């Protein structure tokens, strides 16, 4: 029995096959694990290297009992296909427009990879679909007579996208997203106004030489982290990486499974930096240090000033994930070589699209090598519909961040000031600890990078004095449940549902009963009342 996982290009699929053979050496390449490419049937009529309507799907087929290996690659790298792309390609396949590449005529032109180099978004990528052809023609060349019972490929693309969206907006949507990330768009404006911005608005990150051309878009946040990591491995000799601070678990897995390994500092403390300095001073060398700003789930902030100093002394790169802090609250690019982010979270907010980004610092010592490598190796796999939804969702990014910052602080105030409960004549406060950047001992490190009008974000964690208290609080909280963050509505969840993960996390100060909160856009008075009612549930538990 076999199963398959779908990827956007042959390049990504080939990485998956390579991962299979490193993780399961007993598998025979081309026999037990193989790639099946699906391409438009119009490729036989000339659609390919020069057409903006070209797209493909690459399926990695493997033994069913190896699904966990395939899932690991898909999960860690974030390089799978989105649901919108899957829907489009499924319909194309059903209608006979997506066919096996090895079943096409040998004379079929090999499509070149698009979307490379500094003008990558103007040229379009493998996912860009813009139509400027006449019915029955491809790039000006006549095709076979159209079948009245089966619309040709280009007509299919036009009808499929025209149903909901104008796909020709893709390049403009990506440009607007990059401008928002760059800081050029600091007000809530629509796509037309975003594209009318003057050229002098292109450089806003307060870093010499920076422009929106230094921003690369990816289909997910994990994809941005993974692709920057493998790019660093490509431009430098293979070296261990450093994961500083308790991370999003897939980041750690990427660093452990691709390359020579990872040195993990789960506490992200000054003692950890002392140890790193000793190691470097004694001759150990490292590829790059990856950290989150602030960290997750205890919201500790790394000392970027000292990390930058060590990186400059001992020649390693600094990659900062600022998803939790976000572009408007913090400015970390001066201390990093690359800043990565999951646009899926608060940048979008609407929970209906994924995306990621990577920003290169022009003054960084690895900048030229990174740009040169990405000029030939970067694939723009961000599906057109996804880019358009991301642009639409992010138009009110600025005002949403202000409100989320304010709401989060209001909730923290309730939790920290919650009245104590008399339990058998002993005064026991309901909340043990509130983890939030504003109240962390590492706040000075956060404030050093906080923007003039920036806040402390919408993510916080809470601990209690007993499991029963944590359960009562969690169950009584009238919010949605789900393990994510940055949504426009407030979420609650617990961090580690698996016992072995709890044991591992405990050594880094992450308690089993940790309750996570991602604060949304609800009215502040409603949110604080919700928290007060949830805290009130603890009285009932303690009186039993």
């Amino acid at each position: 029995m076999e199963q398959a996982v779908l990827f956007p290009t042959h390049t990504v699929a080939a990485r998956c096959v390579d991962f299979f053979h490193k993780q399961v050496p007993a598998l025979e390449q081309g026999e037990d694990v193989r790639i099946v490419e699906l391409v438009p049937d119009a490729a036989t009529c000339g659609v390919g290297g020069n057409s903006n309507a070209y797209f493909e799907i690459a399926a990695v087929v493997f033994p069913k009992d190896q699904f966990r290996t395939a899932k690991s690659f898909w999960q860690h790298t974030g390089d799978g296909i989105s649901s919108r792309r899957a829907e489009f390609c499924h319909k194309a396949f059903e209608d006979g427009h997506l066919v096996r590449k090895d079943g096409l005529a040998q004379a079929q032109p090999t499509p070149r990879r698009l979307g490379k180099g500094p003008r990558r978004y103007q040229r379009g990528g493998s996912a860009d679909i813009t139509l400027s052809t006449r019915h029955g023609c491809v790039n000006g060349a006549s095709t076979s007579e159209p079948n009245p019972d089966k619309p040709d490929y280009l007509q299919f693309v036009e009808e499929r996208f025209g149903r909901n969206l104008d796909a020709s907006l893709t390049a403009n949507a990506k440009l607007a997203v990059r401008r928002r990330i760059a800081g050029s768009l600091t007000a809530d404006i629509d796509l037309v106004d975003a594209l009318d911005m003057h050229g002098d608005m292109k450089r806003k990150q307060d870093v010499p030489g920076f422009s929106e051309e230094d921003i690369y878009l990816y289909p997910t946040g994990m994809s941005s982290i993974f692709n920057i990591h493998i790019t660093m491995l490509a431009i430098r000799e293979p070296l261990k990486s450093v994961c500083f601070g308790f991370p999003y678990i897939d980041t750690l897995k990427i660093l452990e499974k691709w390359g020579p390994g990872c040195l993990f500092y789960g506490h992200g403390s000054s003692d950890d930096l002392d140890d790193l300095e000793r190691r470097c001073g004694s001759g150990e060398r490292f590829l790059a240090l990856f950290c989150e700003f602030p960290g997750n789930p205890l919201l500790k902030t790394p000392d970027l000033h000292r990390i930058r100093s060590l990186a400059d002394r001992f020649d390693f790169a600094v990659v900062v994930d600022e998803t939790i802090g976000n572009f408007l609250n913090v400015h970390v690019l001066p201390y990093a070589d690359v800043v990565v982010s999951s646009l899926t979270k608060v940048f979008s907010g609407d929970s209906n699209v994924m995306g990621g980004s990577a920003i290169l610092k022009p003054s960084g010592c690895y900048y030229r090598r990174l740009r040169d490598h990405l000029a030939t190796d970067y694939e723009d796999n961000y599906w057109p519909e996804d880019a358009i939804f991301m642009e639409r969702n992010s138009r009110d990014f600025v005002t949403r961040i202000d409100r989320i910052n304010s709401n989060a602080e209001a909730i923290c105030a309730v939790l920290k000031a919650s009245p104590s409960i008399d339990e058998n004549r002993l005064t026991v406060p309901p909340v043990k600890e509130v983890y939030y950047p504003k109240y962390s001992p590492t706040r000075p490190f956060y404030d050093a990078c906080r923007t003039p009008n920036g806040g402390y974000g919408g993510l916080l964690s809470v601990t209690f004095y007993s499991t029963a208290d944590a359960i009562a609080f969690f169950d009584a909280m009238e919010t949605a449940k789900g393990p994510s963050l940055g949504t426009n509505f407030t979420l609650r969840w617990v961090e580690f549902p698996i016992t072995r993960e709890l044991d591992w996390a405990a050594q880094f100060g992450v308690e089993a009963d940790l309750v996570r909160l991602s604060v949304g856009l609800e009215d502040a008075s409603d949110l604080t009342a919700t928290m007060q009612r949830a805290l009130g549930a603890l009285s009932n538990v303690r009186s039993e």
Side-chain angles (χ1 to χ4, degrees):
M1 295 290 291
E2 292 181 317
Q3 285 188 308
V5 174
L6 303 181
F7 297 102
T9 65
H10 182 277
T11 301
V12 178
R15 289 193 192 117
C16 182
V17 172
D18 181 65
F19 180 76
F20 256 106
H21 290 288
K22 287 181 178 178
Q23 296 296 310
V24 192
L27 292 174
E28 294 293 332
Q29 186 167 359
E31 183 175 327
D32 290 322
V33 180
R34 64 190 187 280
I35 298 173
V36 176
E37 289 187 79
L38 302 176
V39 298
D41 64 338
T44 57
C45 302
V47 173
N50 296 319
S51 172
N52 288 328
Y54 184 87
F55 69 95
E56 64 179 299
I57 286 289
V60 174
V61 183
F62 53 87
K64 187 175 181 179
D65 60 1
Q66 295 298 325
F67 176 74
R68 291 186 63 180
T69 303
K71 178 181 178 294
S72 293
F73 179 88
W74 172 85
Q75 175 180 327
H76 300 331
T77 68
D79 273 340
I81 65 172
S82 73
S83 57
R84 290 186 182 88
R85 184 170 190 152
E87 180 188 21
F88 176 89
C89 292
H90 181 258
K91 179 62 175 173
F93 183 76
E94 281 189 328
D95 290 358
H97 293 295
L98 201 60
V99 298
R100 286 188 62 152
K101 184 177 181 181
D102 54 16
L104 297 176
Q106 293 299 316
Q108 170 194 336
T110 301
R112 65 180 175 84
R113 278 190 281 171
L114 303 175
K116 305 299 190 298
R119 297 188 179 276
R120 56 197 178 277
Y121 292 99
Q122 296 177 26
R123 293 167 58 191
S126 64
D128 280 341
I129 298 178
T130 54
L131 304 176
S132 59
T133 58
R134 302 188 309 275
H135 179 73
C137 295
V138 177
N139 296 330
S142 296
T143 67
S144 58
E145 288 296 320
N147 182 348
D149 297 323
K150 177 186 174 184
D152 66 26
Y153 168 70
L154 294 177
Q155 182 181 346
F156 168 80
V157 172
E158 187 172 25
E159 290 176 350
R160 188 68 180 171
F161 276 96
R163 206 179 43 164
N164 299 312
L165 301 165
D166 179 358
S168 65
L169 294 176
T170 302
N172 289 340
K174 291 179 179 180
L175 175 60
V177 167
R178 288 162 56 225
R179 285 185 173 179
R180 288 195 181 99
I181 294 170
S184 299
L185 307 185
T186 55
D188 297 345
I189 60 177
D190 62 19
L191 179 59
V192 174
D193 291 334
L195 297 175
D196 284 341
M197 299 291 290
H198 297 294
D200 60 356
M201 294 295 291
K202 285 186 175 182
R203 301 185 177 186
K204 283 291 184 180
Q205 276 277 359
D206 194 28
V207 171
F210 174 79
S211 81
E212 61 205 25
E213 289 295 325
D214 297 315
I215 299 170
Y216 295 76
L217 298 182
Y218 293 91
T220 65
M222 290 315 305
S223 177
S224 67
I225 294 171
F226 172 75
N227 279 280
I228 289 301
H229 175 57
I230 63 173
T231 299
M232 291 299 307
L233 286 170
I235 67 170
R236 301 192 66 196
E237 60 195 283
L239 295 167
K240 277 190 175 182
S241 297
V242 176
C243 184
F244 188 78
F246 199 90
Y248 186 68
I249 192 65
D250 287 312
T251 299
L252 179 59
K253 295 301 182 183
I254 287 171
L255 303 182
E256 290 176 339
K257 295 181 179 181
W258 281 268
C262 173
L263 176 62
F264 178 41
Y265 289 116
H267 293 286
S269 64
S270 58
D271 289 342
D272 287 339
L273 287 179
D274 290 341
D275 182 75
L276 178 61
E277 185 171 11
R278 283 192 295 269
R279 286 172 179 267
C280 292
S282 64
E284 286 191 58
R285 299 182 62 216
F286 296 96
L287 179 76
L289 181 148
F290 287 73
C291 65
E292 297 179 3
F293 194 98
N296 187 16
L298 300 183
L299 287 306
K300 291 195 223 177
T301 303
D303 184 353
L304 287 187
H305 183 273
R306 186 177 176 193
I307 289 171
R308 180 73 264 165
S309 177
L310 292 175
D312 291 340
R313 284 174 57 195
F314 298 112
D315 188 26
F316 59 81
V318 178
V319 181
V320 180
D321 182 347
E322 55 72 87
T323 300
I324 298 173
N326 79 65
F327 310 115
L328 292 181
N329 285 332
V330 296
H331 182 38
V332 298
L333 189 58
Y335 300 97
D337 293 284
V338 185
V339 174
V340 294
S341 186
S342 173
L343 306 181
T344 309
K345 307 303 192 296
V346 73
F347 188 82
S348 168
D350 269 347
S351 311
N352 62 0
V353 68
M354 295 190 293
S357 65
I359 306 174
L360 309 185
K361 183 174 70 174
S363 59
C365 63
Y366 304 104
Y367 175 76
R368 181 47 54 193
R369 280 178 282 174
L370 287 168
R371 279 295 294 262
D372 289 347
H373 185 83
L374 290 171
T376 58
D377 202 63
Y378 171 78
E379 289 186 320
D380 180 4
N381 290 325
Y382 204 19
W383 187 244
E385 288 179 292
D386 294 330
I388 292 169
F389 271 87
M390 181 63 74
E391 189 281 321
R392 289 177 177 177
N393 292 353
S394 62
R395 290 177 187 177
D396 61 351
F397 177 52
V398 176
T399 54
R400 283 191 289 110
I401 292 301
D402 289 341
R403 185 161 182 171
I404 287 172
N405 288 339
S406 177
N407 282 351
E409 292 202 30
I411 288 176
C412 285
V414 170
L415 295 174
K416 292 181 70 67
S418 55
S420 298
I421 299 173
D422 189 346
E423 184 184 65
N424 299 325
R425 298 181 180 178
L426 294 175
T427 300
V428 180
V431 173
K432 181 179 179 182
E433 188 70 56
V434 176
Y435 295 95
Y436 188 62
K438 184 176 182 178
Y439 303 112
S440 171
T442 61
R443 175 177 172 175
F445 302 144
Y446 187 99
D447 285 344
C449 297
R450 187 159 61 97
T451 59
N453 298 316
Y456 295 90
L459 187 65
L460 59 115
S461 301
V462 190
T463 55
F464 299 85
Y465 285 94
S466 71
T467 298
D469 283 354
I471 292 173
F473 176 80
F474 186 88
D475 288 347
M477 199 186 312
E478 299 163 350
T479 68
K481 292 187 288 186
S484 187
L485 61 98
T487 54
N488 289 339
F489 50 90
T490 299
L491 283 172
R492 73 190 192 277
W493 73 100
V494 292
E495 189 66 16
F496 296 104
I498 303 174
T499 302
R500 59 182 172 80
E501 292 179 339
L502 291 173
D503 295 339
W504 171 75
Q507 63 183 305
F508 302 110
V510 181
E511 298 185 18
D513 300 328
L514 189 76
V515 175
R516 312 295 311 283
L517 292 173
S518 173
V519 182
L521 299 174
E522 298 92 341
D523 186 88
S525 61
D526 291 339
L527 286 174
T528 55
T530 297
M531 296 302 129
Q532 288 166 346
R533 287 192 296 272
L535 290 169
L538 274 63
S539 298
N540 299 330
V541 171
R542 294 181 177 188
S543 63
E544 294 177 354

